[in-house]
Amino acid sequence: MTESDLPSLWTHEPHTHLEFRPGDKVADIDAGATPGFRGKKADAPALQAERNARFAELQEMLYANSRSGDPRAILLVLQGMDTAGKGGIVKHVAGAGNPQGIRYKSFGKPTEEELSHHFLWRIIKALPPAGHIGVFDRSHYEDVLIVRVHNLVAPEVWGARYGEINTFEKALVDEGMTLIKVAMFVSLDEQKARLAERLDRPDKYWKYNPADIDERLKWPLYQEAYQALLDKTSTDYAPWHVIPCDRKWYSRLAITELLIEALESMNLSWPPADFDVEAEKKRLAEA
Ligand code: AMP
Ligand code: MG
């Protein structure tokens, strides 16, 4: 296999396999599947390296264009239960880009100050500026996930949030933001194995939180909350993607492709010089 054959290991554009479709059921998701991928695990390292490089090139082009006034930006929203691999996407996918143009933000339990504001307040503050790729490790969707599962606010309050989120995201898209929303699904068996590994390895203790087991026990309620989220907030302007995550090599490849597809559809090119190149060469030669 030659390098240029590698992207063709996908049967179709990956988003066509991964986009949530009305009627899809969370209960039917096979977290161990590799939809649309024709290659094998052994193909993943070389393909990931090649596609990381393509992503980095396009990311730099997006950034370069913003310097000459292009308002566009991308927001990658990562949602998933503990151990789904959000951190791995940050490190191995977004991490392939130039940090200058990446804005990473994780959303944990809100602070007192955050709680005193509207739930979108902390989200708006963290949005990526023009030319940047924002990476949200959890997001405003926690306000209809953990908040719903734990009854942290009244049902009328979280119930109204789906519509508020759609209105908010529409405004972002109208301003030039491309949203890539990914819901990362890990099976209960694989989650158990990953939590066990965190407890076995001192270098992974920092990732372990005893509360992860409490959330795990609430999986049926989370399943309902994820179903509602996908049903109510998958829109034509900001669709959800469902990513099977039991095989990390697959989820990383898939999300890399979603980023590349979004960047390619922006029809980016290197911005032309806003100075006289020949005149500058001459000046430099004499300087
Ligand atoms: P981690 O991502 O593992 O650092 O965990 C962050 C924790 O913060 C998770 O249990 C989230 O569900 C929780 N969290 C994030 N956003 C909210 C929110 N808006 N309200 C309550 N808990 C939240
Ligand atoms: Mg955690």
Side-chain angles (χ1 to χ4, degrees), residues 81-83 86 138 195 198 206-209 212:
M81 299 290 288
D82 294 295
T83 78
K86 301 184 291 296
R138 305 186 188 269
L195 288 173
R198 290 181 181 181
W206 68 276
K207 291 191 188 185
Y208 186 82
N209 178 349
D212 295 351

mmCIF file of all heavy atoms in Angstrom, residues 81-83 86 138 195 198 206-209 212, ligand 2:
data_model
loop_
_atom_site.group_PDB
_atom_site.id
_atom_site.type_symbol
_atom_site.label_atom_id
_atom_site.label_comp_id
_atom_site.label_asym_id
_atom_site.label_seq_id
_atom_site.Cartn_x
_atom_site.Cartn_y
_atom_site.Cartn_z
ATOM 1 N N MET A 81 -19.150 9.607 28.028
ATOM 2 C CA MET A 81 -19.016 9.168 29.414
ATOM 3 C C MET A 81 -17.529 9.060 29.752
ATOM 4 O O MET A 81 -16.675 9.042 28.869
ATOM 5 C CB MET A 81 -19.691 7.798 29.592
ATOM 6 C CG MET A 81 -21.183 7.795 29.277
ATOM 7 S SD MET A 81 -22.179 8.700 30.478
ATOM 8 C CE MET A 81 -22.123 7.600 31.902
ATOM 9 N N ASP A 82 -17.225 8.944 31.029
ATOM 10 C CA ASP A 82 -15.838 8.765 31.462
ATOM 11 C C ASP A 82 -15.217 7.586 30.727
ATOM 12 O O ASP A 82 -15.877 6.577 30.503
ATOM 13 C CB ASP A 82 -15.800 8.486 32.975
ATOM 14 C CG ASP A 82 -16.267 9.689 33.763
ATOM 15 O OD1 ASP A 82 -15.587 10.718 33.702
ATOM 16 O OD2 ASP A 82 -17.329 9.601 34.402
ATOM 17 N N THR A 83 -13.969 7.765 30.363
ATOM 18 C CA THR A 83 -13.139 6.771 29.646
ATOM 19 C C THR A 83 -13.493 6.628 28.155
ATOM 20 O O THR A 83 -12.913 5.782 27.473
ATOM 21 C CB THR A 83 -13.146 5.338 30.268
ATOM 22 O OG1 THR A 83 -14.370 4.658 29.908
ATOM 23 C CG2 THR A 83 -12.963 5.337 31.762
ATOM 24 N N LYS A 86 -12.069 11.136 25.400
ATOM 25 C CA LYS A 86 -12.050 12.557 25.034
ATOM 26 C C LYS A 86 -10.618 13.103 25.123
ATOM 27 O O LYS A 86 -10.161 13.823 24.230
ATOM 28 C CB LYS A 86 -12.984 13.363 25.955
ATOM 29 C CG LYS A 86 -14.445 12.876 25.890
ATOM 30 C CD LYS A 86 -15.394 13.732 26.723
ATOM 31 C CE LYS A 86 -15.197 13.601 28.228
ATOM 32 N NZ LYS A 86 -15.459 12.266 28.797
ATOM 33 N N ARG A 138 -16.177 18.142 27.062
ATOM 34 C CA ARG A 138 -17.488 18.396 27.661
ATOM 35 C C ARG A 138 -17.885 19.815 27.257
ATOM 36 O O ARG A 138 -17.065 20.565 26.753
ATOM 37 C CB ARG A 138 -17.521 18.197 29.171
ATOM 38 C CG ARG A 138 -17.029 16.799 29.611
ATOM 39 C CD ARG A 138 -17.223 16.626 31.104
ATOM 40 N NE ARG A 138 -16.614 15.412 31.610
ATOM 41 C CZ ARG A 138 -17.237 14.241 31.696
ATOM 42 N NH1 ARG A 138 -18.500 14.134 31.310
ATOM 43 N NH2 ARG A 138 -16.634 13.183 32.168
ATOM 44 N N LEU A 195 -11.483 1.650 33.426
ATOM 45 C CA LEU A 195 -11.436 2.114 34.820
ATOM 46 C C LEU A 195 -10.505 1.213 35.631
ATOM 47 O O LEU A 195 -9.736 1.698 36.476
ATOM 48 C CB LEU A 195 -12.845 2.129 35.429
ATOM 49 C CG LEU A 195 -13.783 3.234 34.914
ATOM 50 C CD1 LEU A 195 -15.198 3.031 35.454
ATOM 51 C CD2 LEU A 195 -13.269 4.634 35.283
ATOM 52 N N ARG A 198 -7.041 2.238 35.126
ATOM 53 C CA ARG A 198 -6.711 3.459 35.881
ATOM 54 C C ARG A 198 -6.388 3.141 37.333
ATOM 55 O O ARG A 198 -5.596 3.832 37.964
ATOM 56 C CB ARG A 198 -7.867 4.461 35.805
ATOM 57 C CG ARG A 198 -8.009 5.058 34.421
ATOM 58 C CD ARG A 198 -9.130 6.079 34.317
ATOM 59 N NE ARG A 198 -9.193 6.565 32.940
ATOM 60 C CZ ARG A 198 -10.041 7.483 32.501
ATOM 61 N NH1 ARG A 198 -10.903 8.025 33.329
ATOM 62 N NH2 ARG A 198 -10.026 7.864 31.239
ATOM 63 N N TRP A 206 -4.407 9.731 38.316
ATOM 64 C CA TRP A 206 -4.890 11.114 38.183
ATOM 65 C C TRP A 206 -6.142 11.218 37.326
ATOM 66 O O TRP A 206 -6.904 12.178 37.439
ATOM 67 C CB TRP A 206 -3.771 12.015 37.631
ATOM 68 C CG TRP A 206 -3.389 11.712 36.197
ATOM 69 C CD1 TRP A 206 -2.513 10.756 35.766
ATOM 70 C CD2 TRP A 206 -3.858 12.370 35.016
ATOM 71 N NE1 TRP A 206 -2.414 10.757 34.397
ATOM 72 C CE2 TRP A 206 -3.226 11.751 33.913
ATOM 73 C CE3 TRP A 206 -4.746 13.420 34.776
ATOM 74 C CZ2 TRP A 206 -3.463 12.140 32.585
ATOM 75 C CZ3 TRP A 206 -4.980 13.806 33.461
ATOM 76 C CH2 TRP A 206 -4.339 13.166 32.385
ATOM 77 N N LYS A 207 -6.365 10.199 36.495
ATOM 78 C CA LYS A 207 -7.559 10.227 35.639
ATOM 79 C C LYS A 207 -8.764 9.616 36.342
ATOM 80 O O LYS A 207 -9.874 9.681 35.832
ATOM 81 C CB LYS A 207 -7.321 9.406 34.360
ATOM 82 C CG LYS A 207 -6.323 9.992 33.397
ATOM 83 C CD LYS A 207 -6.410 9.219 32.087
ATOM 84 C CE LYS A 207 -5.324 9.609 31.127
ATOM 85 N NZ LYS A 207 -5.490 8.936 29.831
ATOM 86 N N TYR A 208 -8.520 8.947 37.460
ATOM 87 C CA TYR A 208 -9.606 8.221 38.123
ATOM 88 C C TYR A 208 -10.328 9.120 39.106
ATOM 89 O O TYR A 208 -9.718 9.885 39.839
ATOM 90 C CB TYR A 208 -9.045 7.006 38.872
ATOM 91 C CG TYR A 208 -10.145 6.140 39.440
ATOM 92 C CD1 TYR A 208 -10.800 5.212 38.640
ATOM 93 C CD2 TYR A 208 -10.553 6.293 40.761
ATOM 94 C CE1 TYR A 208 -11.835 4.447 39.145
ATOM 95 C CE2 TYR A 208 -11.590 5.532 41.283
ATOM 96 C CZ TYR A 208 -12.223 4.614 40.466
ATOM 97 O OH TYR A 208 -13.254 3.864 40.970
ATOM 98 N N ASN A 209 -11.643 8.980 39.121
ATOM 99 C CA ASN A 209 -12.444 9.736 40.074
ATOM 100 C C ASN A 209 -13.472 8.746 40.622
ATOM 101 O O ASN A 209 -14.205 8.132 39.843
ATOM 102 C CB ASN A 209 -13.116 10.888 39.312
ATOM 103 C CG ASN A 209 -14.016 11.720 40.206
ATOM 104 O OD1 ASN A 209 -14.325 11.344 41.343
ATOM 105 N ND2 ASN A 209 -14.442 12.850 39.680
ATOM 106 N N ASP A 212 -16.792 8.366 39.109
ATOM 107 C CA ASP A 212 -17.009 7.739 37.796
ATOM 108 C C ASP A 212 -17.875 6.481 37.935
ATOM 109 O O ASP A 212 -18.664 6.154 37.038
ATOM 110 C CB ASP A 212 -15.667 7.350 37.144
ATOM 111 C CG ASP A 212 -14.807 8.575 36.801
ATOM 112 O OD1 ASP A 212 -15.311 9.711 36.903
ATOM 113 O OD2 ASP A 212 -13.628 8.376 36.447
HETATM 114 MG MG MG B 2 -13.225 11.898 34.482
#
